[in-house]
Amino acid sequence: MLSFGTYPTAVQLLEELSTPRSALWVKRDDLTNAAYGGNKVRKLGRLLADARARGKQRVVTIGPIGSHHVLATGIFAKALGMQAEAILIGQPRTAHVLEMVRADLAQGIRLFPARSYAEAGLLLASRIARGAYYIPVGGSNRLGALGFVDAAAELAAQVQARELPEPDVLVAALGSGGTVAGLAAGLAQTGLRTRVLGVTVADPAWVVERRARALVKQLSSRAVRRDAQQRLEFDRSYLGRGYGHTSALGEQAAAQAARAGLTLDATYTGKTFAAALARVAAGRERTILYWHTLSSAALEPLLHGAPDAASLSEALLQLAT
Ligand SMILES: *Cc1c(COP(=O)(O)O)cnc(C)c1O
């Protein structure tokens, strides 16, 4: 197994956003890697190790045009001397989305824009047929999600060492599902009672949530399967207009987080932090742990040599609408 991260990531109390009834803590997975952090780093260690063990020189993945996963795959594949390829599909245009695709190109990722899911499927099949190792959307298959089973053990060790109290609930974004599924399955194997709240930020919500449940099942032995499923709950009320669309609650939460020194994005972490703040305001849980899944590494070095937004190909620009 490869590791691209520095673990354990820190846990911190967000004092200014806590109340006497509920303490808000953060797990700093934004700092998993100094060059590019966030939650994809934990998944890619195992996935790229598997690709290498199979003697693959190329990997192919798929994601929306602003995908953090595509960029992370490109960065860590390149570090191993592998070529990354990515099939891209559409998502709402924001400044962040355009920066992601420029950073992809600067890492030398081969991008294949797809105008429909059908075309994406065909492109993917053709890259796999040419010998590329397949990494699913978000890196969320059983192998990738095992990185978050490990993360649950890491958290349990931090609780054991009294770095933080046992969280009553852990709040994390639910996109492709590997993060919350791995955490729920992993926590069921520890002595912790911590529940997992997956804040659904991708759609259709029922498909996304079903995929997370299926992953929990794959990750859990019979003995802990029920416990793992029961401790995982979902909240789709922060999705707003859908994946990648900004929401007022998400933007308010991002402003609150900025006071505590955390930078959030519109697609995943703003909406998720809004759910965490609502749990604090409700005051029913003593300890709430927000799992910070967004890289906080400076993007500037990754944009070195990138084409400017105006010179992106028409096919790419059409994906960001
Ligand atoms: C990919 C991503 C997520 C979603 O994690 P999944 O494991 O795909 O559910 C959450 N936050 C950020 C910032 C991400 O890039």
Side-chain angles (χ1 to χ4, degrees), residues 240-278:
R241 286 168 57 217
Y243 179 82
H245 287 280
T246 56
S247 73
L249 282 176
E251 283 176 359
Q252 282 164 27
Q256 295 269 70
R259 285 175 40 207
L262 294 179
T263 303
L264 308 185
D265 75 311
T267 300
Y268 297 99
T269 52
K271 292 171 181 177
T272 303
F273 201 69
L277 290 174

Side-chain angles (χ1 to χ4, degrees), residues 227-250:
D227 174 355
Q229 296 288 13
Q230 280 176 348
R231 66 174 73 212
L232 176 60
E233 19 170 327
F234 305 117
D235 187 346
R236 9 173 128 163
S237 62
Y238 294 88
L239 181 55
R241 286 168 57 217
Y243 179 82
H245 287 280
T246 56
S247 73
L249 282 176

Side-chain angles (χ1 to χ4, degrees), residues 39-40 43 68 140 173-179 265 268-269 293-294:
N39 65 339
K40 304 307 181 303
K43 304 176 186 181
H68 301 134
S140 287
L174 165 56
S176 62
T179 302
D265 75 311
Y268 297 99
T269 52
T293 49
L294 177 70

